[in-house]
């Protein structure tokens, strides 16, 4: 969105109103227009930011951001769901397993998937992917090993 055309339109409106008065009024209005130009741009950005915040409250997922490209703002929708790494064509859900779970654990998995807004299958695949890519931790319990001097 180009803010400059809105600023130019406002400048033209102020100039047209100033021309209704005498020469000193037109001169004062011209100075005022130049002075207000930067301020008007900032106020328009403030209005866009407020609009984005109001939209965010109404969106079921994700949020809207105001990003600047040069001096021109851009409204961008950002999904809250992290992008899953693209699976290779041969990895795309071709394997199938049967999993037996205790009923209470199944219920907890279903609740967690619903909270994230994904299917149970997607939730389990993500959980397995996270756990298989994280570094394994080794626990040694309460045993101490090594040498001591007395």
């Amino acid at each position: 969105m180009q803010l400059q055309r809105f600023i130019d339109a406002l400048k033209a409106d102020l100039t047209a109103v100033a021309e209704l008065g005498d020469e000193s009024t037109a001169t004062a209005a011209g100075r005022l227009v130049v002075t207000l130009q930067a301020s008007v741009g900032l106020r328009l950005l403030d209005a866009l930011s407020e609009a984005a915040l109001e939209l965010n409250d109404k969106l079921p997922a994700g949020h809207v951001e105001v990003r600047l490209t040069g001096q021109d703002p851009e409204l961008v929708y950002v999904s809250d769901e992290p992008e899953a790494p693209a699976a290779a064509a041969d990895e795309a859900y071709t394997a199938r397993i049967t999993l037996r779970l205790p009923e209470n654990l199944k219920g907890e998995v279903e609740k967690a998937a619903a909270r994230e807004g994904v299917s149970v299958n997607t939730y389990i695949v993500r959980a397995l992917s996270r756990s298989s890519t994280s570094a394994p931790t080794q626990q040694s319990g309460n045993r101490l090993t090594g040498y001591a001097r007395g």
Side-chain angles (χ1 to χ4, degrees):
M1 168 186 309
Q2 294 181 348
L3 287 184
Q4 192 59 45
R5 68 185 172 122
F6 295 103
I7 294 170
D8 289 343
L10 185 59
K11 284 171 46 176
D13 292 344
L14 287 173
T15 303
V17 168
E19 288 175 356
L20 298 176
D22 59 1
E23 188 175 323
S24 64
T25 304
T27 303
R31 289 182 183 154
L32 187 61
V33 165
V34 171
T35 305
L36 287 177
Q37 186 170 353
S39 180
V40 167
L42 289 174
R43 295 298 168 238
L44 287 172
L45 284 175
D46 287 344
L48 287 172
S49 296
E50 289 281 329
L53 288 173
E54 287 183 25
L55 284 173
N56 290 339
D57 291 339
K58 294 180 179 14
L59 291 173
H63 62 280
V64 175
E65 293 180 353
V66 178
R67 295 181 183 173
L68 287 177
T69 306
Q71 293 185 0
D72 295 325
E74 180 180 3
L75 295 173
V76 178
Y77 174 76
V78 179
S79 174
D80 284 341
E81 186 174 314
E83 292 183 26
D90 58 338
E91 287 185 51
Y93 301 118
T94 56
R96 179 179 278 266
I97 63 170
T98 301
L99 179 63
R100 296 181 194 274
L101 299 173
E103 192 64 37
N104 62 344
L105 179 58
K106 179 181 178 277
E108 293 299 317
V109 169
E110 289 171 340
K111 287 178 192 172
R115 272 194 308 271
E116 291 189 18
V118 296
S119 69
V120 170
N121 187 73
T122 300
Y123 179 82
I124 291 173
V125 168
R126 287 180 184 172
L128 289 172
S129 294
R130 283 190 300 263
S131 68
S132 66
T133 58
S134 62
T137 58
Q138 294 182 351
Q139 295 180 345
S140 62
N142 293 329
R143 187 186 331 168
L144 294 174
T145 58
Y147 297 97
R149 289 171 59 161

